[in-house]
Amino acid sequence: MNNDQSWKAATVYIHPISRLFRSLELKGARARFFVTPGGIKITSTAQSKTYTAQLYIDSSAFASYQIDNYDESDFQTTVSIDALVHCLQMFVKWSADDTKGSTTESALQSNQTGSSACFIEFIPNKQLQLKYASESMNSICHLTLYENDEFTSELKFDSEQVILQAIMPSAVLVNVFKDMAAVSSKEMTISSSVSPMRVTFNSSGDLVSTEFSLPNDPKVVEALSIDVESDFTYDFGSIIQSMNGIRTATKISLRYDVYGTLSIQCLCAVDEHEVYIEYKFLPKQI
């Protein structure tokens, strides 16, 4: 590793960034942190290895973004996603208003923004740190780095063999999952039919079963594509882990491939910049 290697990014949008990182909190998860010249990618894998969450933030979404002596193999590490979110949550409490003031790099570096700012810095094999800076105070969180972590593998999704895709406003899926959670659902089955074309969500708990059927109606589902009729069952306790990301999103793309791997893609925004979160879930084995 070159001693001159480093990456630093800054933002005044502490609240939105914090919400995005919270969407990666999965049970027992650590997160693989990838830095590229074009942006950052963070993959969080649950300890069960049956579901993952992935966040991608383009470099343009940051007020400043600097990477020196880039080498792909060096600019990645594993961190505790809970610790990372905890730091950002502290910054949120200290930040009264993170959307005002100058966001130019010179203003951020000199702390003359007129608002609070968050700096994220990564030095390969040494440290990942988050810094909070405002006119009244400064604080730094140093995060522990992990090597060869076994819970950071990505789930495979075959985008060439997608047999169901539904694009909808995020509020539609929020309502479906919220009602299923209210009756303590344990499993959720997603099924599709061609005639009439619709996607159906069924859940079952100890005492109650629920069903939500979404027709091919642009007032409900903006786009629906079904290749063959199918159904797959998932652990609802895992599925509900995606709610933070779904609530943050404006639009959802729900897909599954021929093997039943479920993908829930969430389109979010930081200021005017699009940000993507994707959840993947393996089906239950019958």
Side-chain angles (χ1 to χ4, degrees):
M1 186 202 75
N2 190 319
N3 288 330
D4 294 329
Q5 288 179 307
S6 65
W7 165 77
K8 180 184 287 186
T11 181
V12 295
Y13 294 100
I14 302 176
H15 288 234
I17 291 293
S18 176
R19 286 194 296 269
L20 291 172
F21 279 81
R22 278 193 64 197
S23 68
L24 300 177
E25 287 189 297
L26 308 179
K27 291 181 180 178
R30 287 178 182 167
R32 193 68 178 166
F33 198 101
F34 299 87
V35 176
T36 73
I40 62 172
K41 181 179 76 170
I42 306 169
T43 299
S44 179
T45 304
Q47 191 168 359
S48 66
K49 300 184 183 180
T50 59
Y51 57 104
T52 65
Q54 186 173 95
L55 168 66
Y56 180 78
I57 306 178
D58 191 88
S59 60
S60 62
F62 294 93
S64 67
Y65 191 96
Q66 179 181 342
I67 188 166
D68 297 320
N69 297 312
Y70 175 73
D71 184 290
E72 181 178 3
S73 62
D74 290 332
F75 281 81
Q76 54 183 284
T77 189
T78 302
V79 298
S80 164
I81 190 64
D82 291 337
L84 193 156
V85 169
H86 178 72
C87 291
L88 287 172
Q89 288 294 97
M90 289 194 300
F91 296 173
V92 166
K93 292 178 182 179
W94 298 333
S95 175
D97 184 352
D98 62 6
T99 59
K100 295 180 180 179
S102 172
T103 60
T104 64
E105 183 172 359
S106 59
L108 285 166
Q109 297 294 345
S110 61
N111 200 24
Q112 300 297 316
T113 61
S115 67
S116 53
C118 175
F119 299 85
I120 310 174
E121 183 174 5
F122 176 48
I123 301 175
N125 298 331
K126 289 188 177 181
Q127 66 181 17
L128 176 67
Q129 69 177 29
L130 280 71
K131 178 182 178 182
Y132 174 84
S134 69
E135 294 181 349
S136 60
M137 69 176 295
N138 293 285
S139 179
I140 297 178
C141 290
H142 296 278
L143 300 179
T144 300
L145 306 184
Y146 300 90
E147 295 183 2
N148 301 321
D149 192 88
E150 62 177 321
F151 301 129
T152 55
S153 58
E154 296 185 35
L155 295 184
K156 293 182 180 180
F157 181 85
D158 193 338
S159 59
E160 300 297 321
Q161 297 194 69
V162 173
I163 57 175
L164 166 69
Q165 180 173 22
I167 299 174
M168 67 192 79
S170 61
V172 173
L173 204 56
V174 166
N175 290 333
V176 171
F177 287 177
K178 186 167 64 175
D179 287 350
M180 288 183 170
V183 296
S184 302
S185 298
K186 293 184 177 181
E187 294 183 346
M188 180 187 74
T189 298
I190 303 177
S191 58
S192 62
S193 64
V194 175
S195 182
M197 184 173 286
R198 64 178 63 242
V199 57
T200 302
F201 299 83
N202 290 278
S203 73
S204 59
D206 291 333
L207 301 175
V208 180
S209 296
T210 59
E211 179 177 298
F212 299 88
S213 187
L214 305 181
N216 188 23
D217 183 341
K219 295 180 181 179
V220 181
V221 179
E222 295 181 13
L224 182 59
S225 174
I226 298 172
D227 282 1
V228 294
E229 295 189 350
S230 57
D231 62 87
F232 293 98
T233 299
Y234 306 89
D235 175 70
F236 186 71
S238 300
I239 294 290
I240 200 65
Q241 299 292 308
S242 64
M243 274 294 273
N244 279 335
I246 295 172
R247 290 181 188 275
T248 302
T250 56
K251 189 174 295 186
I252 299 295
S253 173
L254 183 147
R255 305 175 296 163
Y256 58 61
D257 63 20
V258 69
Y259 306 105
T261 302
L262 174 66
S263 163
I264 300 177
Q265 294 178 317
C266 307
L267 175 62
C268 310
V270 174
D271 193 15
E272 298 177 353
H273 303 281
E274 293 184 345
V275 177
Y276 296 92
I277 306 168
E278 182 176 20
Y279 298 92
K280 296 176 186 174
F281 303 89
L282 293 179
K284 297 194 71 173
Q285 301 298 318
I286 299 177

